[in-house]
Every structure is written in structure tokens, then in C-alpha cells.
């Protein structure tokens, strides 16, 4: 009786022999999706690896592409195979270069030096959990959370390549979130900061660009923009002829090693494009910036000497220098110096608007798709409950 013919996309009996060199050779016949017969042969250090590699080769005949990884490969091998794919996504525009560089830094500086020699076959859920808990103990919460994300993506890549049966990171315990910042500026503190900025000078060198600090603060407080969105404003993005004047938030300044500093033509996320009516303090700041800007429609309101936009890092460095020089005076004002970054302006705007008009209006001002994000990360809860609650309960419960 004739031996049954192999079906398309299947592999026959695998024969493994130990060669004189000490390696194992696995052989088998396999048919591709077109029904063509292939005689396959691979070698590996162990019999199990030889069988696994041969099955992968048979799968590659029908699906295309030879898998790169085996269970015996290390985490460092998997990262080296995964990063080029992420880089390709960055080149195609489906992923920002800044995000790619963040992934690459976490992999290169945290995962590979500490755990690069661990084999993929040893990456159980328990081991991944111990890895992440150790990072949580040694590093910041944000670094540990980013490491979890990168490790999960690398393991998913290994699963797709057939080197792991499932992604073990999915079963690790939940990582803690960073403590919510509970600070916001009061109108009195804002006036005090503005006065300090107007008087700010240094004992040596040219006077710092205090005017950019003041105008940026007023615009961010009046619009809740991120710093990159603020310094990325151009003449064409503002309309001072309406009442009240308006500004379109449709871009942000980003920087990375590959592309340098440039204006991305969308905010942090494209759905966050929005038009904002300017309150008086922001409108006055915009008018001052327009008076300093070039007449071109694409001229930046916060330009460098060459006409390009300031970078986020340069603006934040200028603010940090001011904070260090005026630390004592800021503490006297009650300003939370340790939490004083440009994000404090955005949180202040969100808090003030939420208290006056509710979470929905505040969320739309910030450009959030989910009000819960606004509540959890930006709005500072009032410590004093509205006294109207006493009146309500009196009416319902009586004396």
C-alpha cells in the first residue's frame, strides 16, 4: 500500500541523528501551500532545538520568512530582532521617533544590561514579575512602567515568531501609578511669580529671556496648552479680530536625535486639535508675541534668533534657572517649588475651570477624550466641600 501523500502545508516524520561534531541534525519532508515537496535539514545544539527549528522551517515554507528566534535565544537576542521593526514603524510615520527612542533607551539601558542573558524559554510569568518588581525597587515608577511595556512588546514579538507559547507579561501583577500631583497655583501666587519674572536678572551675562517666561506662562494658564503646543504657535494660528480672540491648537514642538527640533502638525494626539477662546491675560501675551514676531504667517510667536521655534528643553531649562535663582522668594509665596514645571500651569487652568464650570468643560479645554483622565491627572480636588450640601441635607432630613 502506497504511503499517503503529505498534505499541503504539513511536515512528515522528523528524523534526528547525532553527528560526530556533537550537534543534532533533523531531517524531514514538507509540502508548501502549492503542494511542492521540500527536503528540509537543520542542525542545533540539542535534539529539542533541532526539532523546533525544523518545524519553524516547515512553517516558513508556507507562510514566508524564516523565524529569527528560538526558546534558547536570549532576551537580548529578542530585543535586537524587535527594535528594527519598531524603527521601521517610526520611519513609516506610524510611530513617532521620540517614542521609538524611548523604547530603545529602556531596552538598552535597563533590560539588556540587567536581564539580557535570560533565555526566552525561561521567561515565565513569575520571572517577569520578579524582574519588574526589582526594577520598581531600584528605579522610578515611571521607568518600571515603561520597562513593563517594552518587555511585553518584546515577548509578543517572540510569541509571533514562535519562540514563546504566550506572553508571560500579561500575567504579572499590576504596576503602581505615580502619585497624583496635588498642587495648583492661586491667583495671588501667579501675580507674585509674574513680578519675580519681571525683576529677574543674573549677576553675569546677558539678561535672561524673562519676557518669554511671562508670556508663555500667561498663554498656558489661559488656554491649558502644553508647553510644546504653546511655543509652537505661529502667527496664522491666532485670530485677534474676533471677540474674544481665539487660538487654534493644531501642532506642537518635538525633538529627537534623528530629526532634531521641529513642529509636528498635530498636538500630542491628532484628535486633540481644538480652538480656544483667549481670556484677557492670554490675549495680552499673544499680542506681545505678535509684536515681536516676523510678519510671515508661519512665523513662530516664540522664535530663536534664527527664526526657528524654541525647543521645549530650552524653554524648560530657562524656567528651571529662574526657579533656582528665585527659590527663596517662591517658597515665601507658597509656590510648590518641587512640582513647579510648565505642567503646573496646565493643571492650574484645569483646576480653576473645573471648579467654576465642571469636569466636562475642563476636559474639553485640555483636549481629553475621557473626562476620567482630566479628573485623575489634572484636577486638584477641593479640600472644602461646598456648603450647599448642608442646606440640601437640612431640607431632606429636617432639624
Amino acid at each position: 500500500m502506497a504511503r499517503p501523500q503529505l498534505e499541503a502545508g504539513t511536515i512528515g516524520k522528523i528524523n534526528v541523528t547525532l553527528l560526530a561534531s556533537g550537534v543534532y541534525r533533523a531531517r524531514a519532508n514538507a509540502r508548501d501551500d502549492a503542494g511542492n515537496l521540500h527536503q528540509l535539514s537543520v542542525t542545533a545544539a540539542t535534539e529539542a532545538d533541532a526539532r523546533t527549528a525544523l518545524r519553524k522551517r516547515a512553517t516558513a515554507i508556507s507562510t514566508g520568512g524564516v523565524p529569527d528566534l528560538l526558546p534558547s535565544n536570549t532576551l537580548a537576542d529578542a530585543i535586537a530582532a524587535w527594535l528594527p521593526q519598531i524603527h521601521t514603524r517610526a520611519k513609516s510615520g506610524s510611530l513617532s521617533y521620540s517614542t521609538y527612542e524611548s523604547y530603545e533607551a529602556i531596552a538598552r539601558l535597563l533590560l539588556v544590561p540587567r536581564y539580557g542573558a535570560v533565555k526566552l524559554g525561561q521567561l515565565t510569568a513569575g520571572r517577569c514579575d520578579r524582574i519588574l518588581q526589582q526594577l520598581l525597587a531600584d528605579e522610578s515608577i515611571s521607568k518600571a512602567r515603561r520597562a513593563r511595556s517594552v518587555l511585553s512588546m518584546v515577548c509578543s514579538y517572540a510569541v509571533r515568531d514562535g519562540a514563546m507559547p504566550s506572553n508571560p507579561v500579561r500575567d504579572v501583577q499590576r504596576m503602581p501609578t505615580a502619585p497624583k500631583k496635588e498642587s495648583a497655583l492661586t491667583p495671588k501666587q501667579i501675580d507674585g511669580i509674574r513680578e519675580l519674572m519681571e525683576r529677574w536678572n543674573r549677576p553675569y551675562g546677558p539678561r535672561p529671556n524673562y519676557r518669554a517666561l511671562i508670556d508663555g506662562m500667561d498663554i498656558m494658564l489661559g488656554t491649558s496648552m502644553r508647553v510644546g503646543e504653546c511655543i509652537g504657535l505661529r502667527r496664522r494660528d491666532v485670530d485677534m479680530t474676533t471677540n474674544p480672540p481665539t487660538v487654534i491648537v493644531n501642532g506642537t514642538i518635538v525633538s529627537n536625535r534623528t530629526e532634531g527640533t521641529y513642529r509636528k502638525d498635530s498636538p500630542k494626539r491628532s484628535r486633540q486639535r481644538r480652538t480656544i477662546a483667549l481670556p484677557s491675560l492670554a490675549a495680552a501675551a499673544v499680542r506681545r508675541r505678535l509684536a515681536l514676531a516676523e510678519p510671515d504667517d508661519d512665523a513662530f510667536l516664540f522664535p530663536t534668533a534664527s527664526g526657528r521655534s524654541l525647543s521645549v528643553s530650552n524653554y524648560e531649562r530657562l524656567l528651571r534657572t529662574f526657579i533656582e535663582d528665585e527659590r527663596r522668594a517662591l517658597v515665601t509665596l507658597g509656590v510648590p517649588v518641587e512640582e513647579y514645571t510648565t505642567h503646573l500651569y496646565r493643571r492650574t487652568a484645569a483646576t480653576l475651570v473645573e471648579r467654576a464650570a465642571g469636569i466636562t468643560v475642563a476636559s474639553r479645554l485640555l483636549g481629553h477624550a475621557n473626562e476620567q483622565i482630566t479628573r485623575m491627572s489634572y484636577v486638584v480636588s477641593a479640600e472644602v466641600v461646598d456648603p450647599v450640601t448642608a442646606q440640601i441635607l437640612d431640607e431632606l432630613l429636617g432639624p
Side-chain angles (χ1 to χ4, degrees):
M1 183 176 179
R3 180 181 301 177
Q5 180 174 317
L6 288 174
E7 296 181 3
T10 62
I11 185 173
K13 181 181 178 181
I14 299 176
N15 297 307
V16 182
T17 55
L18 178 61
L19 302 181
S21 60
V23 300
Y24 290 83
R25 180 175 63 191
R27 291 177 172 177
N29 293 331
R31 288 191 185 275
D32 60 24
D33 290 342
N36 300 313
L37 186 65
H38 299 264
Q39 294 180 341
L40 306 180
S41 177
V42 299
T43 58
T46 67
E47 180 179 350
D49 283 351
R51 289 180 180 276
T52 300
L54 191 69
R55 291 191 182 95
K56 285 189 174 184
R57 187 67 61 82
T59 301
I61 290 175
S62 58
T63 59
V66 179
D68 296 318
L69 300 174
L70 296 170
S72 58
N73 283 114
T74 64
L75 178 60
D77 296 333
I79 288 173
W82 169 74
L83 278 175
Q85 290 202 353
I86 302 300
H87 186 257
T88 299
R89 289 179 55 194
K91 289 175 64 177
S92 69
S94 63
L95 183 76
S96 71
Y97 268 103
S98 299
T99 301
Y100 163 74
E101 290 175 359
S102 175
Y103 291 164
E104 189 267 343
I106 289 293
R108 177 172 52 85
L109 299 178
L110 280 184
L111 295 179
V112 172
R114 291 170 176 251
Y115 314 108
V118 178
K119 292 184 178 180
L120 297 179
Q122 299 172 329
L123 277 178
T124 62
R127 187 155 196 167
C128 288
D129 188 70
R130 291 192 293 274
I131 286 173
L132 295 172
Q133 291 303 313
Q134 186 63 49
L135 287 174
L136 188 61
D138 296 344
E139 306 289 343
S140 66
I141 292 176
S142 62
K143 281 187 178 181
R145 289 175 63 87
R146 281 182 285 161
R148 183 194 189 282
S149 177
V150 170
L151 182 60
S152 180
M153 287 186 283
V154 172
C155 287
S156 290
Y157 174 82
V159 170
R160 293 192 298 273
D161 213 40
M164 300 177 73
S166 61
N167 185 346
V169 182
R170 293 177 180 173
D171 293 322
V172 303
Q173 57 187 309
R174 186 185 298 271
M175 300 291 286
T177 56
K180 178 182 176 181
K181 291 183 171 60
E182 295 288 349
S183 58
L185 297 173
T186 66
K188 182 177 179 180
Q189 289 171 337
I190 294 169
D191 291 340
I193 291 172
R194 189 179 293 108
E195 291 178 7
L196 289 175
M197 287 179 174
E198 289 174 345
R199 298 197 305 264
W200 181 40
N201 203 350
R202 312 204 80 194
Y204 52 86
R207 188 177 184 190
N209 190 0
Y210 72 96
R211 178 50 61 187
L213 279 186
I214 295 174
D215 293 341
M217 177 180 71
D218 287 349
I219 292 173
M220 283 183 265
L221 284 171
T223 62
S224 80
M225 288 186 200
R226 300 176 180 89
V227 59
E229 295 167 346
C230 175
I231 63 178
L233 287 174
R234 304 162 300 179
R235 183 179 288 274
R236 68 167 64 246
D237 300 324
V238 299
D239 186 353
M240 307 305 290
T241 64
T242 60
N243 187 23
T246 59
V247 60
I248 299 175
V249 184
N250 60 4
T252 188
I253 300 299
V254 296
S255 300
N256 56 63
R257 295 195 304 270
T258 303
E259 300 166 304
T261 297
Y262 67 99
R263 186 183 191 275
K264 184 180 75 168
D265 290 331
S266 71
K268 185 177 180 180
R269 291 176 175 79
S270 58
R271 65 172 181 270
Q272 293 177 340
R273 288 187 175 93
R274 57 204 187 276
T275 298
I276 301 174
L278 295 176
S280 298
L281 84 164
V286 168
R287 290 190 181 94
R288 289 193 296 268
R289 302 317 299 179
L290 288 171
L292 297 172
E294 296 294 327
D296 192 294
D297 280 349
D298 289 324
F300 288 108
L301 300 193
F302 291 85
T304 62
S306 63
R308 302 183 65 184
S309 170
L310 286 174
S311 67
V312 170
S313 60
N314 282 343
Y315 189 94
E316 291 181 335
R317 187 182 302 114
L318 181 65
L319 180 59
R320 287 195 301 271
T321 303
F322 163 75
I323 293 169
E324 288 305 312
D325 286 354
E326 303 293 336
R327 175 176 289 268
R328 182 175 299 178
L330 290 170
V331 170
T332 301
L333 285 172
V335 175
V337 175
E338 300 306 322
E339 295 186 3
Y340 190 178
T341 65
T342 56
H343 221 63
L344 180 60
Y345 302 146
R346 182 168 164 84
R347 188 161 60 250
T348 297
T351 299
L352 295 175
V353 170
E354 188 274 339
R355 291 178 182 175
I359 193 67
T360 299
V361 176
S363 183
R364 290 177 179 173
L365 178 66
L366 271 65
H368 290 159
N370 189 337
E371 293 178 6
Q372 190 66 15
I373 298 175
T374 310
R375 189 183 303 280
M376 293 298 295
S377 301
Y378 290 90
V379 171
V380 178
S381 300
E383 295 181 358
V384 179
V385 179
D386 194 325
V388 73
T389 57
Q391 178 182 344
I392 293 171
L393 292 174
D394 274 341
E395 293 175 356
L396 296 175
L397 300 178

